[in-house]
Amino acid sequence: MVFMGDRATLLETGRFVQRRVTSAVSDTADMDTAEPVAAVEEAVPGVEAVEYTDTAETEARHRRAAESGDTASMSVLGALLLRRGDLDGAEPYLRGATAEGDRAAANNLGVLLHQRGYADEAAGWWRIAAVAGSAAAAHALGRHHRERGDEPAAEYWLRQSAEQGHALGAYALADLLEHRSDVGAERWLRVAAEQGHREAAYRLARALDKRAAESAGHPVTDGPARRRPRDASAYATGTGRSAREALVYETGARLRAAREGDPAPEGAAEPGGALAEAEQWYRQAAARGHRRAALHLGAILERRGELKEAGRWYLNSAKDGEPKAACALGFLLRDAGDEESAAVWWLRAAQDGDGNAANALGALHAARGEQQTAERWYRAAMDAGDVNGAYNLGLLCAAQERIPQAEQWYRRAAYAGHREAANALAVLLLQAGDSNGAEPWFSKAAEAGSVDAAFNLGIIHAGRDDDRAALTWYERAAAAGHTEAALQVGMACLRDGDEQTAERHLRCAAGGGSAEAAYRLATVLDARRPEPGPPALGAPRAEKTECEEWYERAAEQGHRRAQVRVGMLAAARGDVADAAHWYREAAEAGSRNGAFNLGLLLAREGNEREAALWWTRAAHAGHGRAALRLGLLAARRGELTEGRRWCARAVELGPEEVAERAARLSEALHQELTA
């Protein structure tokens, strides 16, 4: 039993203040850890080892001195035995030194009793040492009171410890204040961090990192931004691009950054900013072996483009057992082209329960055609609590035409809040003819931020001729960068005569890769061009205008009308070869205008035989002028019956001017035949 009766005598002698032996357990001991904060809070103070040149000899010397009644040696020997785990051997020496007024021995005696389960008696000795000025004992006493729910007493003693410069006391006080959402917590985290407390440095960095993200309006992530495996969404379904021609446009391969966590902009990255300071503290903690700090430091460096150093910190963290770092390292290796090494780290992370890594492995195997293995990893991701696993299972089943199973997995992910799964589920329901069941899921996904769902709602309302509601959803999707939605808004503005707004949206859509938007933007710019005058002899060829560049961009993407227009502009410049190239591209893609114009070009070059082939193709596709040209060609050859047949076709196809000319030619051929 611990005798507490001579506490007053010890205090009266003042020897607790006079004697300062450095064997105290937590005077300088570093109890931080890379594990979660809860583990830190539950840690029991330990004994700091004393540096010896020859441990056995020094121990023997202190033992002899202790046996002779030397208080300092009793305290040192007791601390040494306590750290070794020899509680029975340590207790007599610690009691002896404590009885002589050694403050460090009293603190360590409290540690010994705490380890034996006598928490209240340990607190008594800690109180004696703390009153005498031991910062370590004040820290231990504060922790004792917090464990018993007495937060005022805990704060009092922890503050006593912290104000004496004790790193563990400052950290524990910061943790208590943070638990109460007290703004003073950061100050004490900083105090502890400045003294080398790595967990304090990490938590201070996290607070600064979150502040930087929030001030920049970016989502706060725990570790590197979640990244989408390249091929995990390659199984998305959906048809068409036009609001009037398609049921839906579901861009499964584009999971938005806000959902999947593509790397966000850094926030306050300027020197002196919150993120810059966070990086410094992450670096300090990581250098001392804090694996979570190394993970976050790697994420900051990766966002900044310093991939080599980011990979080094990810590697350090991953080797220390951090699965998120192993996953992030896998993505870095994949992006560098080393897919096999990436798979090794993803496997390691997935086996440690990282759902994102399991999804990456699933995507990797799916891209290789190993569907069963992919499904196994997607299920592992789902079991790890990653809802993307269910979504990817839905994509996998949809690719295999297992529609009921796909719907099941989409629905599971959608109910868990996965907005792209809600959109995909709505796509399936809409394709099955259940528009009433689809619309609520589209709405739910759109309200959660799915850009594709917002666009799809626009399509649904456009199909009901509710153009106003459709435009509202298109505008919402366009504002978030949806290319096809921007095109639809631009077209609506053109119909309303708002050319300036139309041009702005068409530029956005064209810049996003829409060939139709590039073509329509070119037509807007084309209409503003002054009519070109007759070419002057010897004048240099004019530079291409902006509208020509947009026509060409659309033409290069296979837009047939743009190809025809580019051919016309080339012909107007006298560039017959370029004109023939674009007319042929359009004609071979099925453009009747391209076929007709190519025929004209060939006829002018004297190649009427090939011209007739292209005119025939155009006429069969419904081009009246091509039919009239064939009639004229047949008439010149003396093939009067054939000529009348083509004239009849031209009259049928029109337009009116062509029909009148074809009728006159047909009548002349008839008279020739009956003469």
Side-chain angles (χ1 to χ4, degrees), residues 102-128:
D102 189 284
R103 185 182 70 187
N107 176 56
N108 286 343
L109 180 57
V111 173
L112 184 148
L113 293 168
H114 187 279
Q115 290 182 10
R116 283 185 165 171
Y118 303 126
D120 291 335
E121 296 175 62
W125 290 110
W126 282 332
R127 181 179 295 275
I128 291 172

Side-chain angles (χ1 to χ4, degrees), residues 14-73:
R15 285 180 288 184
F16 270 76
V17 178
Q18 296 169 6
R19 297 178 183 268
R20 297 183 180 272
V21 180
T22 58
S23 60
V25 58
S26 50
D27 276 343
T28 57
D30 186 359
M31 295 304 298
D32 69 332
T33 172
E35 299 306 315
V37 175
V40 178
E41 292 173 353
E42 293 166 3
V44 177
V47 181
E48 181 187 4
V50 180
E51 295 293 334
Y52 303 115
T53 55
D54 184 346
T55 304
E57 181 182 342
T58 305
E59 180 182 342
R61 177 166 53 81
H62 279 294
R63 191 178 293 276
R64 288 193 298 271
E67 294 296 338
S68 300
D70 184 80
T71 302
S73 291

Side-chain angles (χ1 to χ4, degrees), residues 235 358-359 361-367 369-380 392-393 396:
Y235 313 104
N359 273 315
L361 283 172
L364 185 65
H365 289 288
E370 301 165 357
Q371 308 300 330
Q372 289 185 341
T373 306
E375 183 171 340
R376 178 167 62 84
W377 282 114
Y378 288 148
R379 287 180 181 273
N392 287 332
L393 279 169
L396 196 67

Side-chain angles (χ1 to χ4, degrees), residues 323-341:
K324 288 186 178 181
C327 181
L329 180 59
F331 280 113
L332 275 188
L333 290 166
R334 182 205 67 180
D335 293 344
D338 190 354
E339 202 170 72
E340 294 304 318
S341 296

Side-chain angles (χ1 to χ4, degrees), residues 30 32 162 165-168 170-171 186-205 208 277 280-281 284-285 288:
D30 186 359
D32 69 332
H166 192 271
L168 290 176
Y171 175 74
E186 185 174 316
R187 172 200 168 194
W188 292 110
L189 279 177
R190 192 178 299 276
V191 168
E194 288 172 349
Q195 294 183 62
H197 193 294
R198 70 180 186 184
E199 185 67 25
Y202 170 69
R203 289 177 65 176
L204 177 59
L208 293 166
E277 188 181 0
Q280 295 173 3
W281 291 116
Q284 176 174 308
R288 300 191 67 222

